[in-house]
C-alpha cells in the first residue's frame, strides 16, 4: 500500500472506532432513563461547532500545500509523450531511467481517460486525468528499476479495463 | 410490537398538524404511498443489477463487458435517483404535511409532474441501457456517448440523454413544488415578500428573529433542509438540462459539439448537489422522526441555522472536488479545485451539527427501539461513516490517492445505502402504517432486515474501501487478478445483503395486504432473538458462512474459467457477424484495445482507430479479411514483426476481428 493510502487507512480506522464507541454509548444511554439538561446540551452545540471548525482548519492547512498542482520539473528531466485513446496508451519513450524526474505530457484523442501509474505489485503510485482537447502534465520520479503498469482510471468505454500498457525503468 | 396506531405516537406534532385539513392529508397520503411503492420497485431492479455486477466481477457468471458497463450505468441511475432520491422526494411531501405545511394547488400539480417525469425517465434509462446497450456510465462524461466503440448508436444516444433529461426535469419540478409550498401561508411568515419568506423557510428566523419573523410559531426544523435543497437543485439542474439538450442534438447531427472540460464541470455542477438531493430530505426525515421515537423535541440551538445557511451556498460551490485530478495546462481548473477544498470542508458543518443534534436528541432519552427507529439510528451511523470517508475525498492530496478507486465506491455506498437507504427503510416502516391505515405486518421482521442489511452492507462496502486503498480501480468489469480473492469474499456479503431485502419486500407486501404477523409464528421464529447483540452475532455468522461459500464457488469457477474471448454480443455483431462464426472469431472491442496498445497505431493507418501511420500498409485502403489479419499478425511479413508470443492467440483474433470489421469505415 502506498504511504498516503496507509495514512488514510489508519486515520479512517481510528475515527470509525471512535464513532463506533460513541454509537454504542448513545444506544446504551437510552436504557439509563436519566433525562438530560437540555439547555446545557444546546450550549455545548456551539462548542462542538468550534471544535469541528478547528479540526477542519487544521486538516486544511496540513494538506492543502501538498496538492499536486503546478509541479515543475528540473531541466534534466526525462520527457515522455503519452497519447490516450480507446483502449490503449501510446507512450514514447517507454524505457526510462530511475531516479531522474519524468515529465509525462498527456493528451487524449477521443474521450476522458485517467493515467494511473502502478508498480509491478499493482500499487497505485500516481494519477492524473487526461481530457480531450487539453494537455495534462504529471511529474514523477521512479525510485526503483523494474516494470511499471499504466492503467486507465477514468471510465472510457467497453474496453476500459483492458487499457493497460507497461513502462520499463532501468538504473 | 411497534405496529401501534401511528397517531398515538407523536403528540409532539399533533398541534402543528392541526392546521392541515383531512383532504390535504388524504391527498398527501396517496401521493407519498405512490412514490414509496414505485421507488421500492426500482430498488429491487437496481439491487438485482448490483448483485449481478459484483458476481460478474468475482467471476461468478461473467457478463459481457459492454453489457456489464450498461448495467453499471443503469444500476447507478436507478439505485441513486430512481430509488433513494425518488423515495425521499416522496416522503418529503408527507413530512411537510405532517409538520403542518401542506401542498397547495400549484405545488400539487408539480408533485404530480415530478412523479410522471421520473417514472418515464426511469423506464427510458432502463430500456436504453439494458436493451439498447448504452454504457457511458451515469456521469456520461462528454464525449463518451459519441465514442461507443460500435456498441450503441445515435438513436440510443438520443433517447438515453432524453430520458436523463426527464429525470432532471422531474428534479426541477420537485424543487419548484417544495419552493411553492414553503413560501405559502403555512409557515406563518410575517413578511409578504417572497425573498423574505424564503429566508424564513431556510431557518434564518433562528438567527434574526425580527427580520425573518414568524407568528406564532417558528419554522419546523424539518422544513429547513427541504427549502435548502429545493433552491439548490433548480440552480444545479438547469445547466445540465441545457447540456443534455445539446447532446440530444449532437446525437442526430454530429457537427454540434461541446468543450469536454466545460461539460465535465457542468456535469459535476449538478453531480454534487444531486447527492444532497438525497441527503437533505433524508435529514428532514431524521429531524421529524428521531424526536418522535426519542419522545422529546429535536435538541437544536440556533446554531443549526448557521449550518443550513452555509449549506445553501456551499452546496453549489463544491462541484470541482469531483475533478481534483483535472488540471490541464493553461486552464483555471487547478485554482478552482484548490478553492473548493475549504468550501467542501465547510459543507461538512451541516452534517456535523445535525449529527450532534440528532445524537443528543437520542442521548438518555426513552428511545423506542423498533424497526423504524433502529433503521434511523443505524442510518446515522452510516452518515458518520460516509461523512468521514467523504472528508478524505474532499482533501486534494488524499483524493490524489483514492480518486477513481473502489474507495470512492465504498464511500458512496455508505452514503447511498447505509445512510439514505436506511432513512428510507426507517421512513417506510414508520410511514407505511400512516399512509395505508394498516398496521405494519411485523416489526421483528423489520428489525431482522435492518440488522442483517447493516452488517452485510458494512462487509460488502468495507471491502471496497480496503481494495480502493490498495489502488483497485473502479468501473472495471474485470479487475486485475490481484483482487480476485477479495471480490469473491465480497460476494458472500452481497448475497446476504440481497437476501435481507426479501424480508423487506415480504413486510411491505404483507402490510399492504392488511396482514399482521402473529407472535412467534414459524416465519418469525428465527427473528425471535432480536436483541442487538444476538442479531449481530447471527448476522456475522451468516456473513462468514456466506463469505466462505462465495469464496469456494468463486475459487473453483475461477480456475475453470473459459472466458470465450470470441463471444461477441449483438451490439458488436458488425464486427464478427460477417464471418458468421462468432464463437471462434475475436471480439472487436477487445481488439480495439489490442490495436491501440500493441503498437499497430504507430505504423498503420486506420481512421476508425485514429491511426495515421505510414510505415505499413494503409488498412483503410487494403481492407484485409479476418483470416489474413490473423495470418499476418501471427507470422509477420517484411517489416511487419511477428506478434506470436507477444500477443496471445485470443488477442490476435480480437485485433483481427476489429481490423476486419472497421477498415475503410
Amino acid at each position: 500500500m502506498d504511504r498516503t493510502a496507509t495514512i488514510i487507512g489508519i486515520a479512517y480506522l481510528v475515527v470509525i472506532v471512535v464513532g463506533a464507541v460513541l454509537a454504542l454509548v448513545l444506544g446504551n444511554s437510552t436504557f439509563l432513563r436519566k433525562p438530560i439538561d437540555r439547555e446545557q446540551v444546546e450550549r455545548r452545540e456551539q462548542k462542538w461547532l468550534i471544535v469541528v471548525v478547528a479540526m477542519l482548519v487544521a486538516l486544511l492547512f496540513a494538506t492543502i500545500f501538498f496538492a499536486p498542482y503546478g509541479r515543475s520539473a528540473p531541466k534534466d528531466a526525462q520527457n515522455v509523450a503519452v497519447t490516450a485513446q480507446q483502449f490503449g496508451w501510446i507512450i514514447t519513450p517507454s524505457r526510462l531511467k530511475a531516479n531522474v524526474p519524468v515529465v509525462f505530457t498527456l493528451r487524449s484523442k477521443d474521450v476522458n481517460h485517467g493515467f494511473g501509474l502502478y508498480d509491478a505489485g499493482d500499487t497505485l503510485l500516481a494519477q492524473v486525468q487526461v481530457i480531450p482537447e487539453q494537455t495534462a502534465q504529471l511529474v514523477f520520479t521512479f525510485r526503483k528499476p523494474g516494470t511499471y503498469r499504466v492503467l486507465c482510471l477514468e471510465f472510457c468505454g467497453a474496453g476500459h479495463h483492458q487499457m493497460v500498457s507497461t513502462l520499463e525503468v532501468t538504473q | 410490537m411497534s405496529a401501534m396506531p401511528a397517531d398515538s405516537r407523536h403528540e409532539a406534532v399533533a398541534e402543528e398538524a392541526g392546521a392541515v385539513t383531512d383532504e390535504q392529508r388524504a391527498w398527501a397520503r396517496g401521493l407519498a404511498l405512490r412514490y414509496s411503492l414505485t421507488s421500492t420497485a426500482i430498488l429491487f431492479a437496481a439491487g438485482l443489477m448490483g448483485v449481478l455486477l459484483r458476481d460478474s466481477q468475482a467471476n461468478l457468471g461473467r457478463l459481457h463487458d459492454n453489457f456489464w458497463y450498461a448495467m453499471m450505468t443503469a444500476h447507478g441511475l436507478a439505485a441513486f435517483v430512481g430509488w433513494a432520491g425518488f423515495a425521499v422526494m416522496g416522503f418529503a411531501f408527507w413530512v411537510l404535511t405532517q409538520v403542518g405545511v401542506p401542498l397547495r394547488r400549484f405545488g400539487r400539480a408539480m408533485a404530480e409532474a415530478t412523479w410522471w417525469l421520473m417514472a418515464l425517465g426511469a423506464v427510458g434509462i432502463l430500456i436504453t441501457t439494458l436493451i439498447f446497450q448504452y454504457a457511458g456510465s451515469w456521469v456520461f462524461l462528454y464525449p463518451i456517448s459519441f465514442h461507443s466503440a460500435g456498441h450503441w448508436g445515435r438513436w440510443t444516444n438520443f433517447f438515453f440523454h432524453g430520458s436523463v433529461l426527464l429525470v432532471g426535469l422531474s428534479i426541477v419540478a420537485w424543487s419548484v413544488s417544495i419552493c411553492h409550498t414553503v413560501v405559502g401561508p403555512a409557515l406563518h411568515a410575517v413578511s409578504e415578500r417572497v425573498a423574505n419568506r424564503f429566508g424564513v423557510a431556510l431557518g434564518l428566523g433562528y438567527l434574526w428573529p425580527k427580520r425573518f419573523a414568524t407568528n406564532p410559531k417558528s419554522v419546523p426544523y424539518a422544513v429547513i433542509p427541504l427549502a435548502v435543497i429545493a433552491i439548490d437543485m433548480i440552480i444545479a439542474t438547469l445547466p445540465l438540462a441545457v447540456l443534455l439538450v445539446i447532446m440530444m442534438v449532437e446525437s442526430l447531427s454530429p457537427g454540434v459539439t461541446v468543450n469536454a472540460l466545460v461539460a465535465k464541470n457542468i456535469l459535476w455542477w449538478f453531480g454534487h448537489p444531486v447527492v444532497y438531493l438525497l441527503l437533505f430530505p433524508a435529514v428532514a426525515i431524521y429531524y421529524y422522526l428521531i424526536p418522535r421515537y426519542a419522545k422529546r423535541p429535536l435538541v437544536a440551538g440556533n446554531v443549526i441555522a448557521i449550518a443550513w445557511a452555509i449549506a445553501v451556498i456551499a452546496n453549489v460551490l463544491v462541484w470541482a472536488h469531483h475533478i481534483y485530478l483535472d488540471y490541464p495546462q493553461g486552464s483555471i481548473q487547478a485554482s478552482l479545485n484548490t478553492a473548493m477544498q475549504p468550501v467542501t470542508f465547510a459543507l461538512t458543518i451541516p452534517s456535523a451539527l445535525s449529527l450532534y443534534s440528532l445524537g443528543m436528541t437520542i442521548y438518555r432519552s426513552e428511545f423506542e427501539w423498533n424497526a423504524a427507529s433502529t433503521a434511523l439510528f443505524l442510518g446515522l451511523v452510516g452518515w458518520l461513516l460516509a461523512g468521514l470517508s467523504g472528508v478524505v475525498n474532499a482533501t486534494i492530496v488524499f483524493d490524489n490517492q483514492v480518486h477513481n478507486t473502489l474507495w470512492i465506491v465504498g464511500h458512496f455506498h455508505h452514503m447511498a445505502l447505509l445512510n439514505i437507504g436506511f432513512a428510507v427503510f426507517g421512513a417506510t416502516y414508520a410511514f407505511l402504517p400512516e399512509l395505508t391505515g394498516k398496521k405494519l405486518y411485523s416489526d421483528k421482521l423489520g428489525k431482522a432486515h435492518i440488522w442483517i442489511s447493516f452488517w452485510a452492507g458494512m462487509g460488502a462496502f468495507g471491502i471496497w474501501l480496503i481494495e480502493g486503498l490498495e489502488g483497485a480501480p473502479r468501473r472495471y468489469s474485470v479487475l486485475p487478478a490481484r483482487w480476485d480473492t477479495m471480490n469473491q469474499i465480497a460476494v458472500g456479503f452481497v448475497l446476504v445483503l440481497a437476501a435481507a431485502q426479501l424480508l423487506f419486500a415480504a413486510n411491505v407486501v404483507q402490510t399492504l395486504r392488511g396482514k399482521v404477523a402473529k407472535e412467534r409464528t414459524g416465519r418469525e421464529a428465527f427473528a425471535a432473538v432480536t436483541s442487538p447483540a444476538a442479531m449481530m452475532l447471527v448476522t456475522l455468522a451468516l456473513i462468514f458462512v456466506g463469505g466462505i461459500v462465495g469464496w469456494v464457488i468463486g475459487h473453483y469457477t475461477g480456475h475453470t474459467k473459459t472466458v470465450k474471448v470470441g463471444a461477441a454480443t449483438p451490439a458488436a455483431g458488425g464486427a464478427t457477424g460477417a464471418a458468421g462464426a462468432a464463437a471462434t472469431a475475436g471480439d472487436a472491442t477487445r481488439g480495439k484495445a489490442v490495436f491501440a496498445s500493441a503498437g499497430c497505431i504507430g505504423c498503420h493507418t486506420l481512421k476508425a482507430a485514429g491511426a495515421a501511420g505510414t510505415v505499413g500498409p494503409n488498412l483503410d485502403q487494403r481492407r484485409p479479411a479476418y483470416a489474413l489479419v490473423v495470418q499476418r499478425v501471427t507470422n509477420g511479413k517484411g517489416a511487419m514483426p511477428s506478434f506470436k508470443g507477444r500477443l496471445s492467440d485470443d488477442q490476435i483474433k480480437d485485433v483481427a476481428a476489429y481490423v476486419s470489421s472497421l477498415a475503410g469505415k
Side-chain angles (χ1 to χ4, degrees):
Chain A
M1 202 182 281
D2 180 88
R3 197 169 59 102
T4 312
T6 310
I7 294 171
I8 296 170
I10 292 170
Y12 187 70
L13 204 61
V14 169
V15 289
I16 61 169
V17 167
V18 172
V21 170
L22 287 177
L24 283 175
V25 169
L26 189 58
N28 203 45
S29 76
T30 63
F31 299 101
L32 296 179
R33 305 278 185 247
K34 280 196 291 185
I36 52 164
D37 177 352
R38 210 184 160 81
E39 280 183 16
Q40 188 195 35
V41 172
E42 288 187 355
R43 270 201 308 279
R44 275 196 198 142
E45 183 161 31
Q46 296 178 13
K47 285 185 188 151
W48 169 238
L49 174 64
I50 293 166
V51 170
V52 169
V53 171
M55 288 193 300
L56 290 171
V57 170
L59 182 61
L60 180 69
F61 282 99
T63 58
I64 194 84
F65 303 108
F66 297 97
Y69 306 143
R71 281 186 192 161
S72 54
K75 276 185 191 154
D76 63 341
Q78 311 172 76
N79 287 301
V80 177
V82 179
T83 304
Q85 68 177 70
Q86 289 175 322
F87 300 101
W89 302 97
I90 303 158
I91 303 172
T92 30
S94 61
R95 290 179 170 276
L96 302 165
K97 283 206 178 77
N99 295 314
V100 180
V102 181
V103 181
F104 293 99
T105 303
L106 308 105
R107 295 184 64 84
S108 166
K109 274 194 174 177
D110 38 43
V111 299
N112 287 276
H113 296 281
F115 181 80
L117 201 51
Y118 287 78
D119 68 10
D122 270 344
T123 296
L124 178 59
L125 303 174
Q127 61 166 320
V128 68
Q129 292 272 308
V130 192
I131 315 147
E133 305 152 57
Q134 308 283 342
T135 305
Q137 216 168 57
L138 181 73
V139 182
F140 186 81
T141 308
F142 294 93
R143 294 293 171 201
K144 283 185 207 155
T147 303
Y148 291 80
R149 300 217 299 162
V150 176
L151 269 62
C152 186
L153 282 183
E154 183 59 78
F155 178 66
C156 64
H160 172 47
H161 57 286
Q162 294 160 335
M163 192 164 158
V164 182
S165 286
T166 53
L167 286 172
E168 292 296 332
V169 175
T170 52
Q171 197 68 42
Chain B
M1 286 296 291
S2 77
M4 57 155 104
D7 299 338
S8 69
R9 273 198 280 212
H10 45 103
E11 295 89 333
V13 293
E15 191 204 349
E16 287 172 298
V20 181
T21 66
D22 286 348
E23 189 275 335
Q24 286 168 326
R25 190 167 289 119
W27 182 85
R29 263 198 192 104
L31 185 80
L33 187 60
R34 178 148 45 103
Y35 271 76
S36 171
L37 297 181
T38 318
S39 59
T40 303
I42 297 175
L43 161 68
F44 284 95
L48 181 63
M49 286 190 264
V51 172
L52 293 175
L53 289 170
R54 209 122 182 233
D55 284 354
S56 176
Q57 277 184 320
N59 203 21
L60 289 162
R62 189 75 92 190
L63 303 168
H64 184 272
D65 290 333
N66 194 69
F67 187 60
W68 194 93
Y69 289 120
M71 203 180 255
M72 176 190 80
T73 309
H75 170 80
L77 282 165
F80 202 77
V81 189
W83 170 50
F86 205 13
V88 293
M89 284 156 82
F91 286 138
F93 295 129
W94 181 243
V95 170
L96 280 178
T97 307
Q98 287 293 79
V99 298
V101 189
L103 278 72
R104 292 169 294 145
R105 217 170 126 199
F106 177 71
R108 286 187 185 189
M110 283 290 121
E112 280 288 352
T114 305
W115 189 88
W116 282 102
L117 289 165
M118 183 68 84
L120 279 174
V123 169
I125 286 165
L126 289 177
I127 292 175
T128 47
T129 51
L130 298 182
I131 299 176
F132 291 98
Q133 301 283 309
Y134 178 86
S137 97
W138 89 262
V139 291
F140 43 85
L141 285 183
Y142 186 87
I144 194 168
S145 302
F146 309 105
H147 293 265
S148 72
H151 288 289
W152 67 87
R154 55 190 196 145
W155 284 104
T156 301
N157 269 332
F158 181 81
F159 283 110
F160 174 81
H161 296 117
S163 302
V164 178
L165 180 63
L166 291 181
V167 170
L169 294 176
S170 168
I171 291 169
V172 173
W174 180 84
S175 304
V176 170
S177 173
I178 296 291
C179 285
H180 178 260
T181 305
V182 297
V183 296
L187 283 186
H188 307 289
V190 172
S191 171
E192 288 293 322
R193 286 172 47 235
V194 171
N196 187 283
R197 283 172 168 251
F198 269 120
V200 169
L202 293 173
L204 296 183
Y206 288 100
L207 297 175
W208 296 286
K210 285 189 185 140
R211 185 121 185 252
F212 297 95
T214 48
N215 186 25
K217 287 174 302 193
S218 46
V219 175
Y221 289 116
V223 171
I224 302 174
L226 294 173
V228 167
I229 196 62
I231 294 168
D232 281 350
M233 284 320 293
I234 294 174
I235 300 168
T237 311
L238 292 178
L240 181 75
V242 173
L243 177 65
L244 284 164
V245 170
I246 296 173
M247 286 164 84
M248 287 171 75
V249 172
E250 182 173 348
S251 304
L252 303 182
S253 96
V256 181
T257 57
V258 184
N259 178 290
L261 185 59
V262 172
K264 214 167 182 176
N265 278 279
I266 291 175
L267 186 279
W268 289 113
W269 170 264
F270 165 83
H272 181 82
V274 77
V275 179
Y276 285 25
L277 172 67
L278 276 64
L279 179 63
F280 289 178
V283 176
I285 291 169
Y286 288 128
Y287 278 3
Y288 174 64
L289 283 178
I290 292 278
R292 175 192 287 189
Y293 296 115
K295 305 182 191 82
R296 57 160 83 129
L298 187 72
V299 173
N302 299 345
V303 68
I304 205 159
I306 299 176
W308 290 106
I310 293 172
V312 71
I313 298 164
N315 189 26
V316 289
L317 293 177
V318 295
W319 77 89
H321 69 220
H322 292 262
I323 45 178
Y324 276 158
L325 297 190
D326 291 78
Y327 47 97
Q329 294 180 305
S331 75
I332 58 157
Q333 200 69 46
S335 318
L336 207 55
N337 297 353
T338 311
M340 284 190 190
Q341 180 173 330
V343 187
T344 308
F345 278 14
L347 197 49
T348 62
I349 292 172
S351 287
L353 290 182
S354 291
L355 282 171
Y356 179 92
S357 280
L358 293 161
M360 284 302 146
T361 306
I362 296 169
Y363 185 60
R364 280 163 47 181
S365 69
E366 294 179 23
F367 200 70
E368 180 191 339
W369 291 97
N370 55 25
S373 66
T374 305
L376 295 167
F377 182 84
L378 293 177
L380 296 180
V381 176
W383 189 356
L384 182 67
L385 289 171
L388 292 170
S389 51
V391 171
V392 171
N393 310 341
T395 307
I396 297 170
V397 62
F398 294 151
D399 183 63
N400 196 28
Q401 185 67 35
V402 298
H403 192 82
N404 279 351
T405 68
L406 287 174
W407 166 276
I408 304 292
V409 183
H411 157 74
F412 69 70
H413 278 80
H414 275 155
M415 182 72 185
L417 187 68
L418 289 189
N419 175 13
I420 315 291
F422 271 50
V424 170
F425 291 143
T428 307
Y429 288 131
F431 292 150
L432 205 54
E434 297 172 10
L435 299 177
T436 58
K438 295 166 181 168
K439 285 187 175 180
L440 184 66
Y441 169 69
S442 167
D443 194 65
K444 282 181 180 168
L445 199 61
K447 273 190 195 162
H449 159 237
I450 291 304
W451 277 108
I452 296 172
S453 298
F454 181 77
W455 286 108
M458 289 288 282
F461 309 153
I463 286 179
W464 270 327
L465 292 179
I466 296 167
E467 289 180 318
L469 286 179
E470 294 275 3
R474 75 186 276 205
R475 294 187 174 130
Y476 268 36
S477 61
V478 182
L479 281 156
R482 180 186 164 185
W483 286 288
D484 280 355
T485 307
M486 278 182 124
N487 290 336
Q488 284 154 7
I489 293 170
V491 167
F493 290 101
V494 170
L495 293 178
V496 174
L497 180 61
Q501 305 323 305
L502 299 178
L503 306 183
F504 178 59
N507 220 343
V508 170
V509 169
Q510 293 295 71
T511 303
L512 291 176
R513 292 175 65 204
K515 304 262 181 184
V516 178
K518 291 189 193 78
E519 282 295 309
R520 304 283 174 123
T521 59
R523 211 171 314 173
E524 287 224 324
F526 88 100
V529 275
T530 47
S531 79
M535 284 314 299
M536 217 180 276
L537 285 176
V538 170
T539 318
L540 285 175
L542 272 175
I543 288 164
F544 185 70
V545 173
I548 300 229
V549 171
W551 183 82
V552 168
I553 297 172
H555 187 74
Y556 287 103
T557 52
H559 280 280
T560 55
K561 73 172 147 192
T562 47
V563 184
K564 275 271 183 290
V565 181
T569 58
T576 52
T584 52
D587 176 311
T589 305
R590 293 170 202 264
K592 187 167 187 179
V594 177
F595 193 87
S597 57
C600 313
I601 289 166
C603 297
H604 293 284
T605 291
L606 183 63
K607 228 171 98 188
T614 51
V615 179
N618 179 324
L619 299 173
D620 285 321
Q621 289 166 3
R622 294 283 182 90
R623 311 182 69 166
Y626 174 79
L628 179 65
V629 183
V630 173
Q631 218 275 332
R632 285 282 186 273
V633 175
T634 310
N635 302 321
K637 190 191 177 195
M640 168 92 175
S642 160
F643 282 82
K644 199 172 183 175
R646 289 168 65 182
L647 294 174
S648 71
D649 288 353
D650 283 338
Q651 282 177 315
I652 293 174
K653 285 177 185 171
D654 292 340
V655 77
Y658 175 66
V659 170
S660 60
S661 69
L662 277 182
K665 286 179 187 167

